[in-house]
Amino acid sequence: RYFSRIFSRIAGVSPQAYLVGYRLDRAAALLAGRRCTVGEAAKSVGYADAFTFSRMYKRRFGVSPAETLAGTPAAGTPAVSNP
């Protein structure tokens, strides 16, 4: 609990929210680079269920992972630089 409070003060978000955001940003980079399928991206960032991953991804970015993979231009499409 102490760690969570300190982390939240410094980062501005809870440790869990930070981790979810990091994982989804990493998945967005994989999908934008068209290096894997939606299911592979989900598993590579720690989601066992592609449906849960897709729902969380769309909640964060406003587009589905499949739209990002297809390169469909849409409002909210994550601007991701390939590492």
Side-chain angles (χ1 to χ4, degrees):
R1 184 161 165 99
Y2 176 75
F3 171 78
S4 183
R5 273 188 274 141
I6 298 299
F7 188 96
S8 294
R9 280 189 204 144
I10 294 170
V13 294
S14 70
Q16 181 181 3
Y18 179 85
L19 182 58
V20 168
Y22 177 83
R23 291 164 64 191
L24 291 173
D25 289 344
R26 182 68 188 124
L30 292 171
L31 294 169
R34 292 172 182 73
R35 291 184 279 219
C36 59
T37 66
V38 172
E40 291 169 342
K43 286 184 181 175
S44 74
V45 297
Y47 284 89
D49 179 32
F51 177 75
T52 301
F53 165 74
S54 294
R55 189 177 40 178
M56 297 295 289
Y57 189 96
K58 187 162 187 171
R59 185 179 299 161
R60 179 168 174 90
F61 297 116
V63 294
S64 72
E67 289 173 312
T68 301
L69 184 61
T72 306
T77 302
V80 180
S81 62
N82 291 329

